[in-house]
Amino acid sequence: MSFRLLVLVSGSGTNLQALLDAVADDAFGATVVAVGADRDGIEGLARAERANVPTFVEPVADHPDRAAWDAALAARIAGYGPDLVVSAGFMKILGPRVLGAFPVVNTHPALLPSFPGTHAVRDALAYGVRLTGCTVHLVDAGVDTGPVIAQEAVPIQDGDDETTLHERIKVVERRLLVEVVGRMAREGWQVHGRHVRFGR
Ligand code: GAR
C-alpha cells in the first residue's frame, strides 16, 4: 500500500505541485490523499482540485480559539489517515493536537536556525548574509525549531530583492522537498535527539 501524504498549504502551492507531479510516478512510493488549507480561494487548492485530490479548508476564524482550531484541524487530517503531513507554505503554527497525532515536515525558505518565521527571505536580505537557502525539517512545538532533515544553500546575488531571491530559493526547495518526502516514504526515518536519519 502506498505511503499516504496530506499536504497543508496557504498560498500558491508550487511545492504542493512538485509533490503532485512526483507522486504521478508509482516508483515515488507515495500518494497525496488530501490537501488542507487555512483559507479558501488559493491557487494551492485549485492545484489539488485539478489533480483530483480531495481538499478541505479549516480557517482559524471559524473557531473560538486556537485550541479549538487545532482540534478541528487534527480531526480533519485524521479522516484521511495520513502517514505523513507535509506543511508546504502553510503559514499557521500547528498546535499540539495535530503535532501529537502525526509526523509533520515543513519546508522553510532559509538555512535554519537563521531566519525562522514568516519573513525569512526578507529577514535574510535585511541582515546582509551572502548565503541563504532552504531547510526541510520535522515540526515540533516551536517556530521552525524542529530537527533538520535536509538543507541546501542558495547564494544571494547583488541586486536581489525579496521576489527574485525567493523564486531562486523555491526552485531548490521544491526539488529538496520532493527528495526528502520520497525518501521518508520509501525508507522510513528515525529521530535521535536533533538528528534525523533515513531508514527503519
Ligand atoms: C515556500 O518558499 C515555503 O518555504 C514558504 O512559503 C513558500 C510557499 O510557496 N514557507 C514559509 O515561509 C513558512 N514559514 P508555495 O506556496 O509556492 O509552495
Side-chain angles (χ1 to χ4, degrees):
M1 237 184 55
S2 196
F3 189 86
R4 298 169 69 81
L5 304 172
L6 187 146
V7 185
L8 297 175
V9 296
S10 295
S12 65
T14 66
N15 281 281
L16 164 65
Q17 188 66 56
L19 288 167
L20 290 170
D21 294 346
V23 300
D25 181 354
D26 284 348
F28 188 72
T31 48
V32 178
V33 294
V35 171
D38 60 325
R39 65 197 71 182
D40 216 341
I42 55 172
E43 182 60 18
L45 290 172
R47 290 176 190 277
E49 281 155 19
R50 286 198 291 273
N52 293 315
V53 170
T55 62
F56 64 88
V57 180
E58 200 60 69
V60 175
D62 284 3
H63 300 278
D65 55 30
R66 282 271 175 167
W69 173 73
D70 175 35
L73 184 61
R76 288 282 204 139
I77 294 172
Y80 295 97
D83 297 303
L84 180 67
V85 174
V86 182
S87 159
F90 188 65
M91 302 306 272
K92 291 281 181 300
I93 306 297
L94 292 166
R97 297 287 285 275
V98 170
L99 296 177
F102 314 97
V104 184
V105 295
N106 178 51
T107 177
H108 183 76
L111 293 173
L112 293 171
S114 291
F115 313 118
T118 49
H119 306 295
V121 179
R122 191 186 311 169
D123 294 346
L125 273 173
Y127 194 94
V129 292
R130 302 306 306 181
L131 199 62
T132 185
C134 53
T135 303
V136 179
H137 65 98
L138 287 173
V139 177
D140 66 9
V143 178
D144 300 323
T145 53
V148 170
I149 307 172
Q151 294 185 299
E152 218 167 293
V154 175
I156 291 176
Q157 296 173 0
D158 292 341
D160 259 340
D161 60 21
E162 190 176 354
T163 306
T164 59
L165 178 58
H166 200 172
E167 282 311 312
R168 272 205 329 287
I169 292 171
K170 283 173 72 169
V171 171
V172 177
E173 190 178 16
R174 290 189 281 263
R175 175 173 45 72
L176 193 67
L177 181 67
V178 165
E179 195 179 296
V180 166
V181 169
R183 290 195 68 182
M184 290 175 88
R186 293 185 301 273
E187 300 173 35
W189 69 95
Q190 292 184 3
V191 186
H192 300 285
R194 290 209 51 86
H195 301 271
V196 184
R197 299 283 176 262
F198 295 112
R200 292 187 172 85

